[in-house]
Amino acid sequence: MNLTSYLNAIEEADVYKRYGKVQRVVGIMIESVGPAANIGEVCYIHSAMNMNKKPVLAEVVGFHDEKVILMPYNEVTEIGPGCLVESTGKPLTVKVGRGLIGMVIDSLGKPLDQSALPKGLSNFLTEQAPPNPMSRPTISDPIQVGVKAIDSMLTVGRGQRIGLFAGSGVGKSTLLGMIARNSKADINVIALIGERGREVREFIEKDLGPEGLEKSIVVVATSDQPALMRIKGAYTATAISEYFRDLGYQVNLMMDSVTRVAMAQREVGLATGEPPTTKGYTPSVFSILPKLLERTGTNSHGAITAFYTVLVDGDDMNEPIADTVRGILDGHFVMDRKLAEQGQYPAINILKSISRVMNQVVTPEHLELAQQTRSLLAKYEDNKELIQIGAYKRGTDHEIDKAILYYPKIQQFLKQSVDERLTFEETFEKLKLLLNGGS
Ligand SMILES: Nc1ncnc2c1ncn2[C@@H]1O[C@H](COP(=O)(O)OP(=O)(O)OP(=O)(O)O)[C@@H](O)[C@H]1O
Ligand SMILES: [Mg+2]
């Protein structure tokens, strides 16, 4: 019998328990003297009154004058001076496996409906390093998203990371639901961060539907949860995607919204004493974003195609989070309130959006057709005011005449109702027909 692995396990096992004592509670932070722990380590805080009570789970977020600063994952009331703090010696892990598919869980990986987790799951660290840039295969295949406007004009590559920039109520959740149901990915991991409780249920029942949930894992951290839980929701969803990528799955990760993750990090940053910089965001916000967003994409086993929604107030694309995220990702789709108001759904403004890998993943014929459509749209938009007030006389410019002729057909082609489904090939055929005089 080979005993080496057992002996190694004994050697590596930490047989000491490290304890500390709570000294002070300031707002959402708990200060304790000891235990010896590293940043990111999970600790149990035992109630001083009642040792049989379930301990509170907290994470080490900083140090101050040799004291440990802890932040609990959940709201706490029964914590006071002298409470025992026990270090687990490990950062946060969640249980992952095929059994999770179809479930709705919280940031710590527990089912939201309080049911028991299925058997056979493995422990997986929520914080992982991004894949080595040298071992990342380049993106070369398109992936069907099942939304006409995207598959035709803004084709997404397998393993691409995209930002969906939109204000409130312009159709983000509906679009993510359509992608989850229609795309060719093997599994969807959907992180709902900072939403209201009502919206979560609406998304799962209405936008995703039973058919979408069947091949999805939904991670939920609502707006009323502590900031740390909202941040962990993003990490947990990313870790679950990584687990399935390593098994060779094609994964879709959707995070709604990355702005709310940044806001939660700002809360934690300010509470631990970081200085506020642009728009009150603390430096750590700008350091965690690239680390989080770089984890998705391709690695040598599989690919995570990721969609991150970014909230833009009043369509201000230069807001610090929007600006940072746009710089990290491989494409941005802009959703426009004007289009939504006209009933032009999905409200994607094609001219303002870009898929940076489209050139690499589609055929030259497809690229050519998409470019022609784009220039017709641009020509119309450039002259829109003249055309609409009737100041443009037909026949003056051949190109503008053509744009006027095609504009309504293109708009009609880009429109898609919530339950309309098309394959990538069907969309391409429609695009061909559109420019060859059909509709
Ligand atoms: N493809 C579509 N076809 C028809 N209507 C749509 C479509 N997409 C969105 N809508 C309409 O837009 C409304 C808002 O959509 P949705 O809830 O997806 O927006 P949101 O951006 O997620 O909003 P919030 O910022 O509140 O989360 C929907 O209730 C629906 O009426
Ligand atoms: Mg929404």
Side-chain angles (χ1 to χ4, degrees), residues 16-27:
Y16 292 100
K17 284 209 165 181
R18 281 185 272 265
Y19 288 103
K21 261 192 176 165
V22 171
Q23 203 178 46
R24 207 159 82 110
V25 178
V26 195

Side-chain angles (χ1 to χ4, degrees), residues 247-259:
L247 294 180
Y249 281 64
Q250 299 302 333
V251 188
N252 261 354
L253 169 68
M254 300 178 204
M255 196 176 286
D256 189 12
S257 72
V258 73
T259 306

Side-chain angles (χ1 to χ4, degrees), residues 318-358:
N318 296 323
E319 181 267 342
I321 298 303
D323 202 37
T324 309
V325 171
R326 199 175 35 195
I328 302 168
L329 301 177
D330 324 308
H332 56 269
F333 298 173
V334 178
M335 299 188 74
D336 202 323
R337 189 175 302 282
K338 271 203 212 97
L339 294 176
E341 282 164 1
Q342 294 162 7
Q344 176 73 33
Y345 286 112
I348 303 171
N349 186 325
I350 303 284
L351 293 177
K352 284 191 188 155
S353 307
I354 181 166
S355 159
R356 291 194 202 167
V357 307
M358 180 166 176

